[in-house]
């Protein structure tokens, strides 16, 4: 059981989270499962960048509630049913929820759970929290809804945070959806090597080495048509400066800004905002939960790509 540390501190807004903000406790759960409930053993928990927002009194999102001090943290999780009193689930079923408590075992409301089919991801259950879950949906639907990618249009896509869970999928999906050139930005030579050698990116830039803007000009000679933005800040300024007329930013995340007291999405500097307006670059907030009517078909597409080896996952 993990919960936020110490009931006499308050949730903050600025600063870097540290281990001392959390504590590990031993506890017990009820012995009796009530009608409509299931008892589960936790197999996987997903720890994601958006959780930083849940450490603030105001998450900045109407769909996310703050974690409460001295209450159990929660997020995406997967477990196996050990006892069920819900008609949709039986012992041995694998289930998932977006509000899974950070506990080794729990009694949950069956209506909050979805049943998983391991065969869809070649038995790799954890993929349902990543490539075949919200992470993969964010990459796929972000590209389809905000990227305006078209097969045969000779578009160049740049992905920041490209070696992360979402970015590594976004670059591959951009290629599958029709981009002719995909360039990633990451923070180590090893990550850049993986992007190119394993995940099919045409090139990758280590932003900690050399001039990012100069490297972008060399690697994207025709400019940038689609930018999958996970980071914001100086990296995004460098990419936006290289973007073409009527191009598109997929505003997925701004992780460089999450420990700062700024609105979301963070405003651009005056110079970069001028470029955005003059070149008619779209930069609209993207929230995958607004497209849940497309969830089932999109998850099946992701699973097919995984089964066919077209979507690589690390």
């Amino acid at each position: 059981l993990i919960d936020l540390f110490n009931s006499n501190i308050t949730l903050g807004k600025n600063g870097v989270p540290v281990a001392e903000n959390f504590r590990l406790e031993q506890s017990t759960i009820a012995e009796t499962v009530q009608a409509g409930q299931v008892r589960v053993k936790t197999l996987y928990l997903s720890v994601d960048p958006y959780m930083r927002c849940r450490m603030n009194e105001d998450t900045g999102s109407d769909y996310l509630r703050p974690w409460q001090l001295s209450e159990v943290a929660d997020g995406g999780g997967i477990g196996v049913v050990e006892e069920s009193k819900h008609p949709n689930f039986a012992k041995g079923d694998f289930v998932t929820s977006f509000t899974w408590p950070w506990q080794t075992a729990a009694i949950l409301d069956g209506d909050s759970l979805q049943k998983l089919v391991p065969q869809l991801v070649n038995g790799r259950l954890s993929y349902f929290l990543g490539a075949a879950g919200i992470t993969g949906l964010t990459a796929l639907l972000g590209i389809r809804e905000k990227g305006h990618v078209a097969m045969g249009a000779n578009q160049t896509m740049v992905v920041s945070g490209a070696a992360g869970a979402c970015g590594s999928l976004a670059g591959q999906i951009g290629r599958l959806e029709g981009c002719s050139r995909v360039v990633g930005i990451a923070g180590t030579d090893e990550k850049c090597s993986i992007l190119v050698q394993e995940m099919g990116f045409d090139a990758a830039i280590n932003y900690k080495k050399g001039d990012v803007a100069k490297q972008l000009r060399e690697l994207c000679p025709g400019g940038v048509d689609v930018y999958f933005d996970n980071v914001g800040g100086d990296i995004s300024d460098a990419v936006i400066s290289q973007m073409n007329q009527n191009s598109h930013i997929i505003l997925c995340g701004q992780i460089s800004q999450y420990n700062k007291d700024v609105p979301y999405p963070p405003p651009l500097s005056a110079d970069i905002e001028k470029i955005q307006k003059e070149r008619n670059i779209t930069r609209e907030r993207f929230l995958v939960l607004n497209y849940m009517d497309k969830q089932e078909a999109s998850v099946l597409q992701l699973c097919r790509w995984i089964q066919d080896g077209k979507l690589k996952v690390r």
Side-chain angles (χ1 to χ4, degrees):
L1 172 76
I2 298 176
D3 70 3
L4 287 170
F5 179 73
N6 207 332
S7 58
N8 64 3
I9 64 171
T10 59
L11 292 172
K13 198 121 190 191
N14 301 323
V16 177
V18 293
E20 288 71 29
N21 297 142
F22 299 84
R23 71 168 177 252
L24 178 67
E25 291 184 344
Q26 289 190 327
S27 185
T28 58
I29 60 174
E31 293 182 5
T32 305
V33 177
Q34 304 293 331
Q37 294 181 328
V38 298
R39 180 164 53 87
V40 295
K41 176 184 176 182
T42 300
L43 299 177
Y44 299 99
L45 297 172
S46 188
V47 183
D48 302 290
Y50 80 86
M51 290 175 168
R52 176 60 186 85
C53 306
R54 300 190 67 187
M55 298 178 196
N56 297 337
E57 289 182 302
D58 178 6
T59 64
S61 303
D62 52 10
Y63 68 97
L64 284 177
R65 69 175 185 84
W67 281 336
Q68 298 301 305
L69 292 169
S70 292
E71 289 187 8
V72 182
D74 67 342
I78 290 172
V80 60
V81 175
E82 295 189 320
E83 182 182 351
S84 175
K85 289 191 177 178
H86 191 285
N88 292 350
F89 304 105
K91 183 177 180 180
D93 284 346
F94 296 106
V95 291
T96 188
S97 167
F98 192 61
T99 56
W100 197 284
W102 285 12
Q103 301 177 183
T104 57
I107 293 177
L108 304 177
D109 179 355
D111 289 341
S112 70
L113 302 172
Q114 287 179 287
K115 189 184 295 187
L116 299 175
V117 181
Q119 293 84 349
L120 289 175
V121 288
N122 298 329
R124 300 295 293 272
L125 273 173
S126 65
Y127 285 11
F128 285 116
L129 293 180
I134 288 289
T135 311
L137 286 171
T138 300
L140 177 57
L141 291 171
I143 288 167
R144 287 185 171 176
E145 300 295 329
K146 298 294 184 181
H148 303 272
V149 173
M151 198 69 69
N154 196 31
Q155 292 163 299
T156 293
M157 172 186 278
V158 171
V159 183
S160 58
C166 195
S168 62
L169 297 171
Q172 296 177 78
I173 292 169
R175 171 83 76 205
L176 290 165
E177 291 288 289
C179 286
S180 59
R181 185 164 183 78
V182 179
V183 176
I185 303 174
T188 70
D189 289 341
E190 180 188 13
K191 291 178 181 179
C192 290
S193 176
I194 289 167
L195 291 174
V196 174
Q197 294 180 15
E198 295 185 24
M199 297 187 171
F201 284 63
D202 292 285
I205 295 169
N206 181 347
Y207 70 86
K208 295 179 181 177
K209 289 185 175 181
D211 186 328
V212 172
K214 179 175 181 290
Q215 293 177 77
L216 279 169
R217 285 192 294 271
E218 294 170 353
L219 294 172
C220 307
V224 177
D225 302 294
V226 184
Y227 174 37
F228 198 100
D229 185 6
N230 286 304
V231 303
D234 293 342
I235 297 297
S236 290
D237 290 352
V239 178
I240 294 169
S241 298
Q242 309 290 331
M243 294 187 75
N244 292 325
Q245 195 74 24
N246 302 318
S247 54
H248 304 282
I249 299 169
I250 302 165
L251 196 58
C252 178
Q254 302 282 276
I255 198 167
S256 70
Q257 309 299 303
Y258 286 172
N259 290 324
K260 301 176 183 178
D261 190 4
V262 294
Y264 187 87
L268 299 170
S269 67
D271 290 346
I272 300 300
E273 186 177 22
K274 182 180 179 184
I275 291 173
Q276 181 208 347
K277 290 180 176 178
E278 287 178 349
R279 299 181 192 172
N280 192 34
I281 302 169
T282 62
R283 183 181 183 258
E284 302 165 339
R285 185 170 183 172
F286 169 70
L287 179 59
V288 69
L289 298 180
N290 289 341
Y291 302 94
M292 285 299 96
D293 58 317
K294 301 179 180 181
Q295 177 185 11
E296 186 174 353
S298 299
V299 168
L300 289 174
Q301 175 64 82
L302 292 164
C303 289
R304 279 195 294 271
W305 281 335
I306 292 168
Q307 290 171 336
D308 293 343
K310 293 180 179 179
L311 204 54
K312 306 290 195 307
V313 185
R314 278 179 69 100

